[in-house]
Amino acid sequence: MYDWLNALPKAELHLHLEGSLEPELLFALAERNKIALPWNDVDALRKAYAFNNLQEFLDLYYQGADVLRTEQDFYDLTWAYLQRCKAQNVIHTEPFFDPQTHTDRGIAFEVVLNGIAGALKDGKEQLGVGSGLILSFLRHLSEEEAEKTLDMALPYRDAFVAVGLDSSEMGHPPSKFQRVFDRARNEGFLTVAHAGEEGPPEYIWEALDLLKIQRIDHGVRAIEDERLMQRIIDEQIPLTVCPLSNTKLCVFDHMSQHNILDMLERGVKVTVNSDDPAYFGGYVTENFQALHEHLGMTQDQAKRLAQNSLDARLIKP
Ligand SMILES: Nc1ncnc2[nH]cnc12
Ligand SMILES: [Zn+2]
């Protein structure tokens, strides 16, 4: 089944580039940039990848991102991810990047963007992997800081298709970012947001009604609210679900309890994605494989999930 799933043409719609930083590359970049690491080797770092919740993961994710310093570093990170896409027949990807994770450390916005955009361009030309980049605001920071980030991005507006919202969900509802999302939409950007990963269904309502999002990132807690489920089904609003992430971060205790196939069978436009593959144990094909192993996903269900991912692209072919 793995080879069949791997060969299935698919799109990835929920992937944090910083979360694709494999330990081997992290160590190589630390050496290149002469940065001391608190782990002795790659194995010691991998052992630290045991999380009880989103915040424990985020603490390590931001620490790992500190090795990214130069345009070449961002290029290498993105290029390594695009090669995984090629190997797994991901024909199109819409990755997130978190500019504030870097600009707050003194890395210039254009250093980050030029590295990523250069690799995405080469990915299209040399690997045939299409893409659309999503600029994501960190929700644990203020709306004012998100506004400043949008200001920095506007001179490079052609490099993005959308803005998103990620980082610590609880206590940081979508309503906190209503004004900056309004401005982003007025500037011509599409919008997406993480909602209903750890946060309640109310956050998904807010993301839809206040941020006017095209897709819900995660959204697995929608199942707790029947009226919300009906809306998501009626309006065919895509959910970018990340099964391995949800089990690694204890949103579900075990993959056998994941609700993605129940949602699929109820008519929700769910898709399969890897979120932060270097930290959660696999890329898109491994996520599909886990659904097959633990939930008995059939080939017909896999085909529908893959087709949903192609249909839910922000950039239509
Ligand atoms: N799963 C996730 N949820 C929220 N913010 C993130 N940043 C990177 N991965 C994330
Ligand atoms: Zn995510």
Side-chain angles (χ1 to χ4, degrees):
M1 185 78 161
Y2 184 93
D3 289 345
W4 185 88
L5 291 168
N6 202 56
L8 202 57
K10 42 194 153 343
E12 177 149 58
L13 307 176
H14 186 152
L15 177 284
H16 303 263
L17 285 170
E18 294 88 344
S20 71
L21 178 57
E22 291 287 342
E24 288 77 11
L25 182 58
L26 192 154
F27 268 79
L29 296 183
E31 194 175 331
R32 188 155 95 189
N33 294 326
K34 308 204 178 354
I35 298 165
L37 293 174
W39 310 280
N40 282 337
D41 52 32
V42 165
D43 287 342
L45 175 54
R46 276 220 166 82
K47 283 210 180 73
Y49 293 174
F51 314 109
N52 293 301
N53 52 48
L54 173 59
Q55 192 60 51
E56 286 184 13
F57 155 70
L58 288 170
D59 292 343
L60 201 61
Y61 163 92
Y62 294 125
Q63 196 178 353
D66 184 44
V67 302
L68 297 161
R69 301 277 172 102
T70 67
E71 186 174 319
Q72 187 66 46
D73 297 342
F74 287 95
Y75 182 97
D76 292 348
L77 171 75
T78 308
W79 185 247
Y81 165 63
L82 290 166
Q83 285 178 304
R84 301 277 190 160
C85 289
K86 178 75 182 165
Q88 296 200 340
N89 210 15
V90 172
I91 62 171
H92 180 85
T93 179
E94 294 182 355
F96 303 111
F97 79 118
D98 296 333
Q100 290 157 293
T101 298
H102 314 297
T103 52
D104 284 4
R105 302 183 283 122
I107 314 290
F109 184 88
E110 55 267 36
V111 165
V112 179
L113 182 64
N114 289 344
I116 293 172
L120 293 178
K121 181 167 176 285
D122 289 351
K124 176 76 192 156
E125 287 170 8
Q126 296 173 35
L127 304 174
V129 178
S131 58
L133 186 59
I134 303 174
L135 182 157
S136 203
F137 301 118
L138 297 181
R139 70 200 305 160
H140 67 276
L141 301 177
S142 69
E143 184 177 44
E144 194 186 346
E145 288 175 87
E147 294 276 12
K148 283 187 207 150
T149 304
L150 181 58
D151 288 336
M152 275 188 232
L154 287 179
Y156 307 93
R157 63 173 70 234
D158 293 344
F160 318 105
V161 286
V163 298
L165 188 64
D166 65 6
S167 192
S168 321
E169 187 178 11
M170 293 305 275
H172 302 285
S175 51
K176 179 177 164 188
F177 295 92
Q178 189 175 353
R179 285 139 301 257
V180 71
F181 269 66
D182 276 347
R183 188 155 72 94
R185 283 198 321 281
N186 285 335
E187 292 286 354
F189 295 106
L190 300 171
T191 60
V192 297
H194 284 54
E197 177 184 18
E198 285 189 342
E202 290 71 36
Y203 284 20
I204 303 177
W205 282 106
E206 282 191 11
L208 291 169
D209 290 335
L210 305 181
L211 307 188
K212 307 196 190 307
I213 56 172
Q214 263 80 34
R215 287 196 301 246
I216 303 161
D217 295 318
H218 292 295
V220 290
R221 288 195 60 191
I223 210 150
E224 297 168 27
D225 181 336
E226 192 46 40
R227 208 164 57 87
L228 179 58
M229 283 290 284
Q230 268 318 315
R231 175 161 177 200
I232 289 170
I233 295 165
D234 290 347
E235 296 182 20
Q236 287 290 286
I237 300 160
L239 266 59
T240 64
V241 178
C242 309
L244 286 173
S245 165
N246 291 154
T247 50
K248 276 294 235 182
L249 301 185
C250 305
V251 172
F252 296 93
D253 290 337
H254 192 267
M255 193 61 82
S256 59
Q257 292 159 5
H258 204 289
N259 61 16
I260 184 170
L261 295 186
D262 296 334
M263 293 230 207
L264 179 71
E265 295 310 328
R266 285 200 55 189
V268 179
K269 205 167 189 62
V270 280
T271 64
V272 177
N273 307 272
S274 69
D275 206 5
D276 302 283
Y279 292 87
F280 300 150
Y283 289 77
V284 180
T285 303
E286 285 76 24
N287 275 270
F288 273 97
Q289 178 70 16
L291 298 181
H292 173 61
E293 281 174 17
H294 298 285
L295 290 169
M297 179 192 65
T298 63
Q299 289 192 342
D300 173 66
Q301 288 175 319
K303 277 190 209 164
R304 284 150 57 204
L305 289 163
Q307 188 59 48
N308 282 351
S309 73
L310 296 169
D311 294 345
R313 284 177 275 192
L314 295 176
I315 303 181
K316 306 297 178 201

